[in-house]
Amino acid sequence: MTKVSRRNILKGGAAFAAGSTLGAPMIWAQNIKDVTLRQFGTGVSNLNDVANKVKEDLGFTLEMTALDSDSVTQRAATQPNSFDIADIEYWICKKVWPTGNLQAMDTSKIKNYDKIVGIFRDGKLTPTSTIAQGTAPHTVGFVEGPGGKEFVDNESGWMTLIPTIYNADTLGIRPDLIGRPISNWSELLNPEFKGKASILDISSIGIMDMAMVVESMGEYKYPDKGNMTKEEIDLTIGIFTEAKKNGQFRAFWKSFDESVNLMASGEVVIQSMWSPAITAVKSKGVPCVYQPLEEGYRSWGGGIGLSAALTGLERDAAYEYINWYLDGWVGGYLMRQGYYSAVPETSKDYMSENEWGYWFEGKKATDVITSPTGDALAQAGETRDGGSFEERMGAVACWNAVMDENQYMVRKWNEFIAA
Amino acid sequence: MLKHNSFVGWLMALPIMAVLVFFLVLPIIMIVTVSFWQATEFSIIPAFDLENYEFLFGSNVTYRVFFNTFKYAFITWVFTLGIGFTVAYFLAFHVRSLTWQIVLFLLCTIPFWTSNIIRMISWIPFLGRNGIANSTLISWGVIDEPLDWLLFSDFAVILAFVHLYTLFMVVPIFNTMMRIDKSLIEAARDAGASGAQILWNVIIPLAKPGIMIGTIFVVTLVMGDFITVRFMSGSQSANVGRLISNDIALLAYPSASATAVVLLLTVLIVIGIMLRYVDIRKEL
């Protein structure tokens, strides 16, 4: 089989797939069974359930490796031959793309491309939205062509990452131990919670949470939180170093499990947290709220990128996988954990009306809401913290980012930890 | 004949030489070399540049962190030595039958059948704000408010270190004590020495090599550690190991190597100083 003929088959296949709701078996089904794709990424979406479902629906093998954000960046930048598919965040993409280890993807092969939410295309959730600070996904989402090195500011038809998963993060609190409403980021440094606060020890994300707090305290208004000057970094970390010396923090956390334990054990009552960590605390029967705050959310988005070394049948399989990913099953799975899918409408088919109403529309649950693993997360009558998709994603104040002064920031961060 | 002998000697030493060269000498040479290189976020640039060292010695964080590392090592050493010596002394001189010595010695090692990390992490729920230690103290009426400094503090770090590494002190000290000729102690007693004098003038001098070996174990293990400090201080304190691990996480291999080289030299100097006081080879 030559490349040309395979491409023709692919076109035929794509047209055929477009006609059915499921990724239907392809003409090269016999060959594709032997394909193994190696995917690596952060723990959030590297789920064995997904790999199993891929084998079932598409026939090929997906090997998953879950690493922390730093290791993911490191591997994508330094070991291009160790993976076929990189499941990374957009700010990691900004760091890794210049190495040439990833290849741009042809959006005409993505059948649900037109249904991808605006955030990942022109940056706007609705036509009237303003774009938040930081590394907004659409700013690093497109390049001018297959070999493009520079990001472009329009929908060029060549995507760096196909968006898969994203969410709006905020502070997690223990309402039972705080006993009053919390509505501002500045509460993280409120002396009332001395020795009971925590922040995450991942510099690139932690600095953004810090900036949200500093701005909320009225100490400083950043022109762009996602790209601070050295003076702004000094100021931000200075305020937190002061708080650390005064004993504000109980601990810092680096892994998901640590944040869950700190919160569930009551060591910490207010801290930076990720959505599934809230879910995990709740499923232990401990009250925990993902508190919406006046200043808005710190958001992040992840997507799938293809290794530059990927060609031929493997690349076809990868496109097949991406189309399947956006087709709804994974989206439904992720949305039932509290994340959002890049193509929400396809996920609807894989969720019950109650689940869709609770997770996406911000409606009251009409029945018990369970996680994909079966733990009860909410009872009938409860609503999701922060409300509907539009309310949550529409209130994003900044995106996770990588700064021009990144190395300086990292050194300052190390000093903060050692202070 | 002599020549032949030395050839055979070299040949016999060859396997261990090869292992040491490949797994010890070459990696160290590599680390030293890389410590002079430069790195950007994605690439490592071979060069000869002192920038890594200049930054390291120019930053007061480095001095604070090295001070912290020494502080942990010293305090841990004091406690492990005190506990280790007492346990070894009890086993060697108070327990008379060999069977019981063996039984009790094995008892000491039982906690070490589980992994370091598990033994360390199991302290966290114990020492926590609502942990067993605090709730017990409150129920006894010793304290009214839970003690926060029990966990995520220097206290917790040192407690974990002492727990993890005391056995490394017990074993070598016990070993040297077992080889002290009992008649020496009888002779000292016959000559009118008190118990304290026997301990100070006979047992401690003869147990010195064991103490020194234990000290080397404890000091090198504590100075090279990073995970205990991270977990038990709740990431709030740093030692040199954590500086290195942070650098590695951020792809700054040259800077990590430079820190590693300085740490290696520091530890070697410390051991060098200790070996001036006791000639282990002579006394073993």
Side-chain angles (χ1 to χ4, degrees):
Chain A
M1 216 167 22
T2 68
K3 264 188 177 173
V4 179
S5 73
R6 196 180 304 125
R7 202 158 277 160
N8 289 337
I9 291 170
L10 179 80
K11 276 181 187 161
F16 179 57
S20 65
T21 49
L22 265 175
M26 290 293 119
I27 295 164
W28 65 88
Q30 287 309 313
N31 294 341
I32 216 162
K33 282 211 173 72
D34 303 328
V35 170
T36 297
L37 292 177
R38 298 160 300 163
Q39 174 177 328
F40 80 106
T42 49
V44 285
S45 52
N46 267 286
L47 306 157
N48 282 328
D49 285 347
V50 171
N52 295 339
K53 190 73 178 163
V54 164
K55 187 79 194 167
E56 197 182 310
D57 285 358
L58 302 176
F60 54 83
T61 307
L62 191 66
E63 284 176 2
M64 301 268 203
T65 312
L67 301 164
D68 63 69
S69 313
D70 290 334
S71 314
V72 166
T73 315
Q74 184 174 340
R75 191 144 164 195
T78 58
Q79 301 169 43
N81 294 321
S82 72
F83 66 91
D84 301 313
I85 295 175
D87 174 11
I88 57 180
E89 278 185 51
Y90 276 89
W91 61 270
I92 298 177
C93 175
K94 188 176 175 186
K95 276 175 124 176
V96 170
W97 192 264
T99 62
N101 290 346
L102 298 175
Q103 58 176 305
M105 284 168 279
D106 184 353
T107 56
S108 65
K109 292 185 189 172
I110 312 297
K111 67 172 176 160
N112 279 323
Y113 176 76
D114 294 334
K115 295 179 188 163
I116 293 176
V117 289
I119 297 168
F120 299 98
R121 294 167 60 198
D122 58 4
K124 294 188 171 186
L125 182 65
T126 61
T128 54
S129 311
T130 48
I131 294 166
Q133 297 178 348
T135 309
H138 72 286
T139 60
V140 294
F142 295 92
V143 288
E144 77 267 10
K149 284 267 177 283
E150 303 282 322
F151 300 116
V152 294
D153 58 0
N154 58 64
E155 291 181 58
S156 63
W158 293 92
M159 258 186 154
T160 55
L161 298 181
I162 301 292
T164 52
I165 179 175
Y166 53 102
N167 206 350
D169 286 354
T170 180
L171 296 176
I173 61 164
R174 280 284 299 268
D176 56 326
L177 298 179
I178 290 180
R180 67 174 178 85
I182 296 288
S183 52
N184 297 93
W185 279 85
S186 58
E187 300 277 9
L188 187 68
L189 292 190
N190 187 338
E192 187 186 333
F193 307 123
K194 188 178 167 187
K196 293 177 179 174
S198 175
I199 191 168
L200 76 176
D201 177 17
I202 298 174
S203 53
S204 50
I205 306 174
I207 189 82
M208 306 300 284
D209 280 358
M210 284 181 172
M212 294 297 287
V213 172
V214 169
E215 219 169 60
S216 165
M217 291 165 79
E219 295 282 341
Y220 184 70
K221 187 121 186 81
Y222 300 88
D224 183 359
K225 284 187 273 296
N227 202 4
M228 298 186 195
T229 62
K230 285 188 177 178
E231 291 72 31
E232 287 169 341
I233 294 169
D234 285 346
L235 170 97
T236 313
I237 294 186
I239 290 171
F240 271 75
T241 306
E242 188 68 33
K244 184 188 173 191
K245 285 186 174 154
N246 291 334
Q248 180 70 13
F249 300 108
R250 182 63 171 148
F252 302 130
W253 59 267
K254 209 161 193 166
S255 75
F256 175 85
D257 301 322
E258 285 177 279
S259 72
V260 173
N261 291 337
L262 286 172
M263 205 64 160
S265 65
E267 297 291 342
V268 164
V269 299
I270 183 167
Q271 66 170 350
S272 25
M273 234 171 152
W274 295 339
S275 173
I278 302 278
T279 310
V281 174
K282 275 185 176 171
S283 64
K284 290 175 199 249
V286 176
C288 187
V289 170
Y290 211 26
Q291 185 61 50
L293 301 166
E294 277 171 20
E295 295 84 5
Y297 294 89
R298 176 189 52 75
S299 191
W300 58 272
I304 288 176
L306 302 186
S307 163
L310 202 61
T311 54
L313 186 63
E314 276 81 15
R315 183 162 61 190
D316 295 341
Y319 272 108
E320 189 64 9
Y321 168 60
I322 289 166
N323 277 322
W324 172 84
Y325 208 107
L326 298 179
D327 198 57
W329 186 86
V330 189
Y333 189 96
L334 295 173
M335 281 174 72
R336 275 182 279 134
Q337 289 188 306
Y339 298 114
Y340 292 120
S341 152
V343 191
E345 55 187 278
T346 58
S347 313
K348 198 175 177 178
D349 303 334
Y350 294 86
M351 299 168 82
S352 72
E353 207 180 307
N354 179 32
E355 286 173 334
W356 177 258
Y358 178 82
W359 290 115
F360 192 80
E361 295 176 318
K363 289 183 184 162
K364 279 185 182 171
T366 54
D367 194 6
V368 179
I369 297 287
T370 56
S371 71
T373 50
D375 296 312
L377 301 177
Q379 302 301 323
E382 291 181 38
T383 52
R384 178 176 189 173
D385 303 330
S388 71
F389 173 72
E390 283 79 16
E391 282 175 272
R392 296 183 81 247
M393 290 312 294
V396 170
C398 67
W399 289 89
N400 281 358
V402 54
M403 310 185 180
D404 295 337
E405 294 292 349
N406 188 46
Q407 271 178 324
Y408 181 79
M409 191 273 287
V410 165
R411 281 178 170 172
K412 283 285 154 187
W413 187 271
N414 271 342
E415 291 183 19
F416 166 65
I417 295 299
Chain B
M1 194 61 199
L2 236 171
K3 240 184 179 171
H4 178 70
N5 264 346
S6 79
F7 175 73
V8 172
W10 277 107
L11 204 65
M12 287 169 79
L14 194 64
I16 188 74
M17 282 269 290
V19 169
L20 285 178
V21 166
F22 274 104
F23 295 105
L24 184 72
V25 178
L26 280 182
I28 289 177
I29 291 173
M30 193 72 171
I31 290 170
V32 173
T33 315
V34 172
S35 74
F36 293 102
W37 289 7
Q38 282 298 297
T40 66
E41 285 185 285
F42 318 107
S43 54
I44 292 181
I45 308 150
F48 183 81
D49 198 324
L50 294 172
E51 203 269 331
N52 295 317
Y53 289 98
E54 277 165 20
F55 178 79
L56 199 59
F57 289 112
S59 159
N60 69 347
V61 173
T62 312
Y63 298 103
R64 270 211 307 273
V65 168
F66 265 90
F67 172 77
N68 230 0
T69 310
F70 276 112
K71 183 182 78 185
Y72 287 143
F74 180 75
I75 300 176
T76 309
W77 175 73
V78 169
F79 281 101
T80 52
L81 179 62
I83 299 169
F85 189 88
T86 314
V87 171
Y89 184 86
F90 176 80
L91 283 177
F93 296 112
H94 277 264
V95 181
R96 292 302 160 105
S97 91
L98 188 65
T99 326
W100 276 107
Q101 275 177 339
I102 293 169
V103 169
L104 291 174
F105 182 76
L106 283 179
L107 206 62
C108 288
T109 64
I110 284 176
F112 291 79
W113 295 355
T114 57
S115 104
N116 256 3
I117 307 271
I118 291 173
R119 269 179 294 143
M120 178 179 77
I121 288 179
S122 51
W123 280 108
I124 293 176
F126 182 80
L127 297 172
R129 186 174 283 139
N130 307 311
I132 302 170
N134 268 322
S135 48
T136 311
L137 288 174
I138 290 173
S139 72
W140 286 351
V142 181
I143 49 171
D144 304 321
E145 285 279 296
L147 300 172
D148 276 348
W149 54 263
L150 285 182
L151 186 59
F152 302 137
S153 59
D154 280 354
F155 168 80
V157 173
I158 286 165
L159 181 74
F161 273 141
V162 171
H163 175 214
L164 292 178
Y165 298 139
T166 296
L167 191 73
F168 290 97
M169 214 44 130
V170 175
V171 175
I173 298 178
F174 177 64
N175 188 32
T176 47
M177 279 182 176
M178 285 300 281
R179 285 185 292 148
I180 294 174
D181 191 344
K182 295 280 192 303
S183 56
L184 288 175
I185 296 165
E186 281 163 32
R189 185 148 286 145
D190 290 347
S194 67
Q197 281 174 318
I198 294 173
L199 181 69
W200 190 252
N201 294 315
V202 180
I203 294 174
I204 291 182
L206 289 173
K208 255 189 192 171
I211 294 173
M212 199 47 67
I213 292 170
T215 304
I216 291 171
F217 273 135
V218 170
V219 168
T220 50
L221 284 170
V222 172
M223 289 187 75
D225 174 275
F226 71 99
I227 199 80
T228 310
V229 175
R230 168 154 124 63
F231 277 108
M232 299 308 289
S233 75
S235 286
Q236 297 218 70
S237 304
N239 67 345
V240 183
R242 284 203 69 203
L243 280 192
I244 297 172
S245 95
N246 283 350
D247 274 341
I248 290 174
L250 297 160
L251 307 182
Y253 292 119
S255 152
S257 303
T259 316
V261 168
V262 175
L263 177 64
L264 180 66
L265 290 177
T266 316
V267 173
L268 286 179
I269 290 168
V270 169
I271 293 177
I273 292 169
M274 291 192 297
L275 289 182
R276 287 192 71 92
Y277 291 102
V278 182
D279 184 349
I280 293 183
R281 227 184 297 177
K282 200 183 87 193
E283 301 200 22
L284 265 182

